[in-house]
Amino acid sequence: MSASPNTAGEKTADHRRRRKADRRQDTERRAAPNTMRVPPWEEQRTQYLTRLLFCALGIAYFNLGGAAQTSAWVNLTVVNTVLLCYGAEILWFMRHAARRLDVRWRWHLTMWVDLLAASFAILADPAVISPGFLAYLMVILGNGMRYGLRLFAEAVVGSLMCASLVIGLRLFDYLDAISVSAAFFLLFFVIIVLYSYSLTANIEKGRRRLEAERDRDHLTGLLNRRALHERADHLLRDPATSRAPLVILFADLDRFKAVNDNHGHHVGDRVLAEIGRLIAGSVRDTDLVARYGGDEFLLILRDTNLAEVGVLAERLQQTLAEWSRRHDVDLSFSIGLGQYPDHGADLKTVIERVDQAMYRSKLARGGGGILQVGEAMPAGAAP
């Protein structure tokens, strides 16, 4: 943990600048309305399999039923070629999704390919009221329900643009075939889209509220233990992040029991809430921060290393010391540090070893120490 003053100062300044920039970028991203959620692999796989089903139905629609027909725009060979290429595109993106779940450009691109494929099918269909129009609705609902309102709105705008283009290209066909049933079909389509948007908005709000109530510690606003393990497991399962090291910081408040004994639990609760705020303000929004127990806090940090987190640990101790002086309480942090997978084959093992390192640090110094997993206790410290 030791370093020359200049080196430590440079590391601290660089660490603070990087974390401030990361925090600003993440805050801007969260402030954007209707942030997209990341569906698990099972949901994304279902969506790709549904696309394959519609592709197969499209090929059957144009090729079965006696004399296969198409509109004057294309012939059957072109239709089959385009639909087969669409199926190949689905398989490629499905394979890509199996390796990396959270790829926003893939979600957008696949949605627009869906819209173009549906538009092509409508142009190729000799029937004026084509089943392809229902594909627009499936694209809107499929993306909105899985990825949130932002992609829902994009799908609505894209569907209207594509439908307007198709209607414009086949305007004379539609003028010849205009009827009351066709007008009501379009009216019902618009009503269903608007109603679906309203339902999706309410579902999204309810989901976020339930997630907040389920995942957050009511006192500090930090993650609770169960939510921390869930999100950490997601990082380990995601192919994009599973191989990246994770640094674990376990912090325990020293002498917190005296605050409860001397001032009451209501004051102790306010102290915990304030310390939770101090910790959350010292890290990036991409870091996982949880109240792990009564006066224990656990941090899981990505894209960093033990040396940088050591600087963070020292800064947390300094921040708490300054806060304690201002509020006339005697508190400090005992901190243990470790890294996955260097200090354990699974995250549970690493957390246990980091907890042991924190406890050894508390015994060695009587509080206020920092100890890495496998690091020897300072000379002269209590065993």
Side-chain angles (χ1 to χ4, degrees):
M1 295 295 175
S2 62
S4 66
N6 290 339
T7 302
E10 291 172 359
K11 284 185 176 179
T12 303
D14 180 69
H15 193 65
R16 187 179 296 114
R17 282 194 298 271
R18 186 171 65 84
R19 290 182 176 275
K20 184 176 181 181
D22 288 339
R23 189 160 56 246
R24 182 175 62 253
Q25 292 171 2
D26 294 322
T27 301
E28 291 172 352
R29 185 175 62 251
R30 285 209 316 271
N34 306 328
T35 301
M36 291 184 290
R37 62 184 289 261
V38 181
W41 162 240
E42 291 76 14
E43 284 191 36
Q44 297 195 39
R45 179 180 59 189
T46 299
Q47 192 176 29
Y48 284 110
L49 292 176
T50 303
R51 287 183 171 106
L52 288 174
L53 174 62
F54 272 84
C55 180
L57 289 174
I59 293 174
Y61 177 80
F62 284 104
N63 288 273
L64 299 181
Q69 294 182 353
T70 60
S71 68
W73 286 88
V74 292
N75 59 46
L76 187 58
T77 302
V78 173
V79 170
N80 288 331
T81 301
V82 171
L83 291 178
L84 288 173
C85 289
Y86 174 60
E89 174 266 344
I90 295 171
L91 291 173
W92 189 89
F93 277 125
M94 186 176 178
R95 181 183 177 188
H96 190 270
R99 295 196 302 267
R100 295 189 60 187
L101 292 177
D102 188 3
V103 181
R104 309 301 170 97
W105 65 263
R106 187 186 65 238
W107 303 346
H108 291 278
L109 180 59
T110 308
M111 184 200 71
W112 280 99
V113 172
D114 292 342
L115 293 176
L116 292 176
S119 302
F120 174 82
I122 296 171
L123 282 175
D125 193 350
V128 176
I129 304 302
S130 171
F133 281 108
L134 296 178
Y136 289 143
L137 187 59
M138 293 299 296
V139 172
I140 292 171
L141 294 178
N143 286 282
M145 294 294 185
R146 283 184 172 84
Y147 303 106
L149 292 179
R150 179 179 295 180
L151 211 60
F152 190 110
E154 184 178 336
V156 170
V157 172
S159 296
L160 292 176
M161 289 173 55
C162 291
S164 299
L165 177 62
V166 169
I167 292 173
L169 292 174
R170 298 190 62 178
L171 181 60
F172 292 108
D173 294 337
Y174 286 103
L175 290 177
D176 291 339
I178 193 69
S179 64
V180 174
S181 62
F184 270 86
F185 177 85
L186 294 176
L187 178 61
F188 286 157
F189 182 86
V190 173
I191 292 174
I192 290 172
V193 169
L194 295 177
Y195 184 62
S196 300
Y197 185 88
S198 175
L199 286 178
T200 303
N202 290 332
I203 292 172
E204 187 75 8
K205 290 178 183 177
R207 182 183 63 80
R208 291 179 180 176
R209 183 173 62 251
L210 288 174
E211 285 183 353
E213 293 173 354
R214 183 179 63 108
D215 294 348
R216 295 290 168 179
D217 172 61
H218 73 281
L219 186 61
T220 63
L222 303 176
L223 295 175
N224 54 38
R225 181 186 297 200
R226 183 200 52 74
L228 177 83
H229 281 285
E230 278 189 1
R231 300 195 183 189
D233 288 342
H234 174 74
L235 288 177
L236 297 180
R237 288 196 308 267
D238 190 342
T241 57
S242 60
R243 297 183 180 180
L246 299 174
V247 179
I248 289 84
L249 185 154
F250 205 124
D252 181 83
L253 276 174
D254 304 313
R255 299 172 298 281
F256 176 71
K257 184 177 183 296
V259 175
N260 282 331
D261 292 344
N262 297 331
H263 303 284
H265 287 277
H266 65 288
V267 174
D269 288 347
R270 290 203 298 269
V271 169
L272 286 175
E274 182 66 15
I275 289 174
R277 186 189 66 79
L278 293 176
I279 295 175
S282 300
V283 300
R284 303 166 297 180
D285 291 326
T286 52
D287 298 327
L288 301 180
V289 185
R291 182 187 177 197
Y292 206 68
D295 57 357
E296 298 172 334
F297 300 87
L298 187 69
L299 284 66
I300 299 180
L301 305 102
R302 293 171 47 194
D303 303 321
T304 187
N305 54 53
L306 280 170
E308 289 182 330
V309 177
V311 174
L312 169 63
E314 293 171 357
R315 189 166 73 247
L316 285 175
Q317 288 183 329
Q318 181 180 357
T319 300
L320 179 59
E322 294 171 354
W323 184 89
S324 298
R325 283 194 296 270
R326 290 198 307 269
H327 293 82
D328 194 26
V329 292
D330 182 21
L331 292 173
S332 61
F333 273 136
S334 291
I335 295 176
L337 299 175
Q339 181 168 294
Y340 170 84
D342 296 0
H343 296 139
D346 54 73
L347 199 59
K348 181 176 181 292
T349 301
V350 178
I351 291 175
E352 290 175 352
R353 296 191 66 191
V354 172
D355 184 19
Q356 293 168 5
M358 179 275 297
Y359 186 68
R360 290 173 61 227
S361 170
K362 186 185 288 285
L363 290 179
R365 296 180 178 271
I370 301 173
L371 196 66
Q372 289 186 21
V373 173
E375 185 178 14
M377 289 191 295

